[in-house]
Amino acid sequence: MVTAAEIEVDERWMREALAAAREAQARGEVPIGTCIVSDDKLIALAGNRTRTDCDPTAHAEIVALREAAGKLGNYRLTGVDVYSTIEPCAMCAGALIQARVRRLIYGAPDERAGGVISRFRICDTDFLNHRIEVQSGVLEEECRTLMQEFFKTRRGRIVD
């Protein structure tokens, strides 16, 4: 069972990820944000950069993993917690496995392309050599609303 103190910590870091998502949105990106934490210290913070960098792999999770690996000097990120506003896709879930992340905490599910629970179970499958502890639903409504409003606005512009 998750304690009140653990919930408070998870919500605090998810708010950081939400801030990165809003910054990504301001750049015209899909508003997804990720932060990576070790020993309750921020190691990396990123929002989506696929359009900004013209890079299909520049999802928030991948950008944050790259930053964290560089800062820590190791591609193995054992012991870190990753906070993402939306359930990671298959590519990002696979990268989290490769990085040996300890724990993934995300806000809202991605029912169309989620690689953790919604479509695939990459983070806890017994076919791979690492499993990640997963906590979903942290600030879920806020994370979901940010995405819904972004796509509602975007569709409105396309129709006009």
Side-chain angles (χ1 to χ4, degrees):
M1 188 163 139
V2 181
T3 68
E6 290 169 322
I7 291 169
E8 184 178 321
V9 168
D10 286 348
E11 287 181 353
R12 175 171 49 109
W13 291 117
M14 188 60 73
R15 289 187 202 297
E16 292 289 330
L18 276 161
R22 288 185 186 98
E23 288 177 17
Q25 182 177 21
R27 291 190 311 273
E29 300 279 357
V30 174
I32 298 175
T34 298
C35 69
I36 298 180
V37 176
S38 180
D39 296 322
D40 205 35
K41 292 184 181 84
L42 182 66
I43 303 299
L45 180 65
N48 269 1
R49 297 189 56 87
T50 55
R51 292 177 180 186
T52 303
D53 294 355
C54 197
D55 179 354
T57 69
H59 290 196
E61 297 91 340
I62 302 294
V63 174
L65 286 170
R66 288 175 181 153
E67 181 181 335
K71 282 184 180 176
L72 297 175
N74 195 336
Y75 70 101
R76 297 279 194 231
L77 301 176
T78 57
V80 305
D81 296 340
V82 174
Y83 292 82
S84 187
T85 56
I86 301 296
E87 176 184 1
C89 69
M91 175 183 70
C92 293
L96 296 171
I97 290 289
Q98 293 300 314
R100 305 298 194 266
V101 164
R102 179 181 79 92
R103 186 168 173 248
L104 166 66
I105 304 92
Y106 69 87
D110 181 349
E111 298 186 12
R112 287 186 43 225
V116 178
I117 293 172
S118 296
R119 291 289 173 191
F120 306 99
R121 297 209 55 125
I122 294 170
C123 293
D124 65 357
T125 182
D126 59 1
F127 291 118
L128 299 173
N129 62 349
H130 180 69
R131 283 162 210 59
I132 299 171
E133 179 186 334
V134 176
Q135 174 68 45
S136 62
V138 176
L139 301 180
E140 180 175 351
E141 191 58 37
E142 193 171 343
C143 294
R144 177 186 293 112
T145 299
L146 182 62
M147 288 288 282
Q148 287 173 338
E149 289 175 357
F150 172 79
F151 283 110
K152 183 178 177 183
T153 301
R154 190 168 164 189
R155 280 190 291 273
R157 274 191 246 143
I158 292 170
V159 172
D160 290 346

